[in-house]
Amino acid sequence: MKGRKKVVTAMDALPARSKRSSPPKNRKGAPSPLDRAMGLGGRPRIETGSAAIADLGTAPSPQPTMSEREALDRIDLSVDIAPERGLLLTNPILVASGTFGYGVEYGEVVDVQRIGAICCKGTTLRPRAGNAPPRVTETPGGMLNAIGLQNPGVDAVIDKYGPIWQGWKVPVIVNIAGESIEDYVEVAKRLDGVPGVAGIELNISCPNVGKGGLQFAIDRDAARAVTTAVRRATELPLLVKLSPNVTDVRPIAKAIEEAGADAITAINTLSGLAVSSDRTRAFLGNTYGGLSGPAVKPVALRIVYEVAQVVSIPIVAIGGVTNLDDVLDFLACGAVAVQVGTAIFADPELPVRLGDELRAECLRRGLASYKPLIGTALPKRTGTPSAKGAEYRP
Amino acid sequence: MTMRLVAAELVDSRQILPGQWLQSFHAPELASGARAGQFVHVRTGDYSGLVLRRPFSINTADAATGIITLHFRTVGRGTEWMTRVREGEKLDMLGPLGRPFEVDPRSHHLLLIAGGLGMAGVRMLADEAIRDGRSVTVLFGAANAGHVYPSSLLPDEVEYVVATDDGSMGHHGFVTELMADYEAWADQAFACGPHPMLKRLAALAAGRRERMGVAKLGRRGGGKTDATGSAAARRKSFLQVAMEQTMGCAVGACLGCTVIGVDGPLRVCREGPVFAAEEISWEAIQ
Ligand SMILES: Cc1cc2nc3c(=O)[nH]c(=O)nc-3n(C[C@H](O)[C@H](O)[C@H](O)COP(=O)(O)O)c2cc1C
Ligand code: FES
């Protein structure tokens, strides 16, 4: 990137910015007034689709010079996503549950210690064999999965991975699932105090056997009840993950906040279906699958945007993140951090690279921290919360 | 060899059969470390919303030249895109992945059985076996003569036997029907192809022990059983199969690629793609 050296001096001269005084206007690559003042163009973009090599996305960026390196290192990407209990990340790019296993599988090709945090595969009280194959299929701009929460059970996860995670710099958040409140509580209790476990992410998109199979995530009272119960069972930082498959997510998010969650993560997959090639049945062994990938990003953005206006706990955004623009979009809609999921399959180095790119973006904009990028697209909170977004309910 | 992300340069691309392509890539890291049965996960153009890589068996690998070949059929936008890649362009490949075929050192006669594109799964084993001084027979099945893998693409030393569904070339019928003529000759068999074909072969292999009599049982390693999924378990098995399944990550992280094994789900990308036939729960395979 051209002109970085100039930015270094410019940044050093710049006063700390508040998000009100300088909303970043440059998300889509057009030079902002600030950039123009500093003689900078928009962020260069790699043209995709033209030549094979351009799609690699792994081409090494030009080595930063010494002073650039120092300036980059000074930029603060750290964030505490559970301020009351403490879950401090060195950067706001996490990997999403179910797409990064237990953090060990990609170890040969990814420097996992440089990821903000790892959300591990959904973990249940007892081992689960998961759904019948096939379990995944590609769809336009995304994929469907129906893994069925295959996992060895919480005790085996603790035995096998706890000691490994304990030695890691990167925090590991255990994603947990259950079919009853008692299940969730028991899993949380067993994780409480386990070295190497930095937090819990509640996957509430599971059928509640006690309530006729209705998902916890789509029922405000069930979501509140399970969050309350797990909150009592553990002192670990508690993240609760929202499902997009609801009419209005806001009352559910509020209930979760009131029940004591430290943060909200959103979104889980959208319910979908694919048909077999001979059109005699559904393609996936489980019939239904969860849609993820770029196709769900607008839905995730809408939900983050809505939730950000009704809760004050941190929001970690998930859904279709594939590049820095996606990260900046989610931050602008009020997320303090993002998770990368499906995109890892094509580009395993993406989560680490996004951290680097966010750092470079801050430098380019003369920001000492990425925090001013948060919430810039939200309606200004002057009076009562906006009802925008509630109007269009297809 | 550990997996890595490799920029593989296309050096040759040709259509060898209607809709079937053979592409050569310069990728020394893959060519020198890969073994027969392993695969690569190839990233396609980041356009039109393709979000997943495509898994391909490593068809051949030549450490001396640093060349690997992939053999595939155009089945969708990803593979169609690959046919349009030009020589000199580089593809992002993750590999080598999965576990290879394991040949018992005492096996001299190897039977390779392939259905259609399954040839890509066993092709490299023919090279390895001939290099090691073993004799190889390839049984190949296709719908008709127009889809028969060209014998010119196989090593000269290989005996090549063809079956076609319509009888337009070779045996009239399924390739599995040729098994009876070779099961006594073969010390071990290695197969890749559609699941019904593998299922039939597994049933034949299970019955083979009785048909061959007690004498052959002696070489199955005595009473000691090897851990499921271990190289030793595969090495001792008469029939090894390379399975296919839709994949997400291809490194064992997403659990998207499972097939049902006798002890529970098995990840094709990690525990496989090569399995001992006894490891698979064939009733569950359609
Ligand atoms: C293969 C696969 C498995 C997943 N497993 C889980 C899981 O066990 N628990 C969970 O809370 N979310 C799971 N998810 C959902 C992701 O964590 C994430 O919420 C979703 O994929 C949207 O993000 P993305 O578009 O970046 O993939 C899974 C997603 C995929 C693709
Ligand atoms: S493809 Fe992800 S576990 Fe095999």
Side-chain angles (χ1 to χ4, degrees):
Chain A
M1 273 183 241
K2 283 184 250 161
R4 261 190 185 149
K5 274 196 203 105
K6 279 183 210 152
V7 186
V8 177
T9 39
M11 185 186 79
D12 290 343
L14 284 172
R17 309 169 159 280
S18 83
K19 101 177 162 193
R20 279 286 140 75
S21 65
S22 71
K25 297 230 171 61
N26 190 28
R27 204 158 43 74
K28 296 301 179 192
S32 70
L34 175 66
D35 287 337
R36 278 198 295 271
M38 295 193 301
L40 296 173
R43 179 153 45 86
R45 295 159 143 262
I46 295 172
E47 293 302 325
T48 52
S50 50
I53 190 66
D55 298 321
L56 283 179
T58 48
S61 45
Q63 282 299 308
T65 62
M66 206 46 209
S67 55
E68 273 175 357
R69 183 76 263 160
E70 283 164 21
L72 280 169
D73 286 346
R74 266 204 301 267
I75 288 165
D76 183 14
L77 290 192
S78 71
V79 56
D80 195 335
I81 58 169
E84 244 176 66
R85 285 178 180 77
L87 181 42
L88 188 66
L89 318 185
T90 56
N91 74 71
I93 313 292
L94 298 79
V95 288
S97 173
T99 62
F100 210 72
Y102 297 91
V104 298
E105 294 82 354
Y106 273 108
E108 290 163 35
V109 286
V110 181
D111 184 358
V112 294
Q113 306 307 327
R114 294 190 58 212
I115 297 170
I118 293 169
C119 298
C120 81
K121 177 66 195 166
T123 302
T124 52
L125 185 55
R126 281 169 288 274
R128 280 177 61 106
N131 290 328
R135 292 173 169 188
V136 294
T137 187
E138 195 174 41
T139 59
M143 66 178 284
L144 286 172
N145 88 82
I147 310 299
L149 288 172
Q150 181 186 334
N151 80 98
V154 63
D155 293 335
V157 168
I158 292 170
D159 288 350
K160 189 162 177 201
Y161 301 107
I164 300 174
W165 295 340
Q166 200 185 344
W168 284 1
K169 199 181 87 196
V170 53
V172 177
I173 297 164
V174 177
N175 180 282
I176 72 174
E179 289 181 340
S180 66
I181 291 183
E182 297 73 44
D183 277 10
Y184 280 100
V185 166
E186 189 54 36
V187 177
K189 276 189 182 152
R190 295 194 192 180
L191 290 167
D192 198 51
V194 172
V197 174
I200 287 178
E201 180 180 51
L202 280 197
N203 171 6
I204 56 171
S205 305
C206 305
N208 179 357
V209 170
K211 252 195 160 182
L214 202 68
Q215 284 182 19
F216 291 95
I218 65 171
D219 176 13
R220 182 185 59 183
D221 297 333
R224 185 197 306 275
V226 69
T227 308
T228 305
V230 173
R231 177 72 292 162
R232 286 205 199 101
T234 176
E235 267 309 303
L236 282 167
L238 177 61
L239 290 60
V240 181
K241 185 166 180 176
L242 300 180
S243 165
N245 306 315
V246 297
T247 320
D248 189 352
V249 77
R250 285 169 291 193
I252 299 166
K254 268 208 87 59
I256 289 167
E257 178 182 39
E258 286 160 11
D262 292 297
I264 281 178
T265 61
I267 57 174
N268 213 317
T269 53
L270 278 87
S271 181
L273 184 108
V275 176
S276 69
S277 56
D278 62 5
R279 304 211 161 78
T280 58
R281 63 199 157 80
F283 176 79
L284 295 171
N286 183 54
T287 306
Y288 301 108
L291 181 65
S292 63
V296 310
K297 182 190 156 189
V299 178
L301 271 178
R302 187 259 297 168
I303 287 178
V304 169
Y305 181 88
E306 289 179 350
V307 173
Q309 293 173 64
V310 297
V311 305
S312 50
I313 53 177
I315 301 167
V316 179
I318 325 165
V321 173
T322 33
N323 57 41
L324 183 63
D325 274 324
D326 299 331
V327 174
L328 298 175
D329 283 350
F330 278 114
L331 294 177
C333 287
V336 304
V338 303
Q339 296 185 13
V340 186
T342 302
I344 295 169
F345 300 155
D347 189 359
E349 293 166 322
L350 179 69
V352 169
R353 203 170 63 244
L354 284 178
D356 292 341
E357 289 181 6
L358 181 60
R359 202 174 281 281
E361 177 73 3
C362 290
L363 179 61
R364 208 184 57 76
R365 296 189 187 203
L367 300 174
S369 147
Y370 79 98
K371 299 275 167 52
L373 305 173
I374 297 168
T376 55
L378 292 173
K380 304 291 166 271
R381 281 197 205 186
T382 40
T384 47
S386 163
K388 275 217 182 79
E391 296 143 17
Y392 182 63
R393 291 272 163 226
Chain B
M1 179 193 161
T2 58
M3 69 172 96
R4 58 180 91 177
L5 284 161
V6 170
E9 181 186 337
L10 185 77
V11 292
D12 187 45
S13 178
R14 54 196 162 117
Q15 197 166 5
I16 53 168
L17 288 169
Q20 290 188 32
W21 293 70
L22 186 67
Q23 293 190 328
S24 307
F25 296 89
H26 184 66
E29 305 93 328
L30 297 172
S32 58
R35 287 181 56 197
Q38 290 188 298
F39 68 102
V40 286
H41 212 27
V42 180
R43 187 168 179 194
T44 57
D46 188 16
Y47 77 118
S48 310
L50 301 181
V51 304
L52 296 180
R53 287 171 181 252
R54 270 68 179 154
F56 298 99
S57 302
I58 301 175
N59 185 62
T60 61
D62 182 6
T65 56
I67 301 287
I68 65 160
T69 63
L70 307 182
H71 168 200
F72 60 91
R73 190 157 50 98
T74 46
V75 286
R77 280 183 307 169
T79 41
E80 270 152 26
W81 175 84
M82 281 175 68
T83 65
R84 290 195 301 273
V85 174
R86 288 186 300 268
E87 284 167 30
E89 291 181 337
K90 290 181 179 167
L91 296 199
D92 176 353
M93 295 189 184
L94 177 63
L97 300 167
R99 296 180 176 174
F101 290 109
E102 296 289 348
V103 179
D104 189 320
R106 294 167 296 180
S107 294
H108 297 298
H109 298 164
L110 304 195
L111 189 61
L112 275 46
I113 307 137
L117 254 290
M119 184 62 101
V122 296
R123 173 64 190 79
M124 186 168 164
L125 185 58
D127 288 345
E128 284 185 1
I130 284 158
R131 179 199 65 201
D132 296 342
R134 300 187 164 93
S135 45
V136 175
T137 295
V138 176
L139 309 182
F140 178 78
N144 56 54
H147 289 91
V148 171
Y149 188 80
S151 58
S152 59
L153 294 174
L154 286 169
D156 293 340
E157 297 87 343
V158 161
E159 182 193 354
Y160 188 35
V161 187
V162 170
T164 49
D165 296 353
D166 67 356
S168 53
M169 188 187 280
H171 172 74
H172 185 174
F174 292 138
V175 65
T176 48
E177 292 156 14
L178 297 170
M179 181 78 168
D181 296 342
Y182 290 88
E183 68 174 7
W185 171 82
D187 296 316
Q188 277 189 294
F190 306 86
C192 184
H195 284 177
M197 175 194 120
L198 300 180
K199 186 173 181 166
R200 179 78 193 120
L201 290 175
L204 290 169
R208 175 177 176 273
R209 289 165 74 173
E210 282 94 83
R211 289 194 297 278
M212 295 297 106
V214 207
K216 286 273 178 183
L217 283 175
R219 66 186 302 285
R220 294 188 59 86
K224 190 170 132 279
T225 49
D226 292 290
T228 327
S230 68
R234 271 171 291 150
R235 199 172 294 126
K236 284 187 186 150
S237 174
F238 171 72
L239 176 65
Q240 291 169 41
V241 293
M243 304 284 286
E244 284 176 4
Q245 189 55 278
T246 54
M247 288 190 185
C249 66
V251 303
C254 76
L255 308 174
C257 64
T258 53
V259 291
I260 309 297
V262 289
D263 297 331
L266 296 163
R267 295 170 297 184
V268 169
C269 72
R270 203 79 183 204
E271 283 82 44
V274 176
F275 297 98
E278 299 80 25
E279 292 173 334
I280 303 295
S281 172
W282 293 104
E283 318 83 75
I285 306 286
Q286 292 150 2

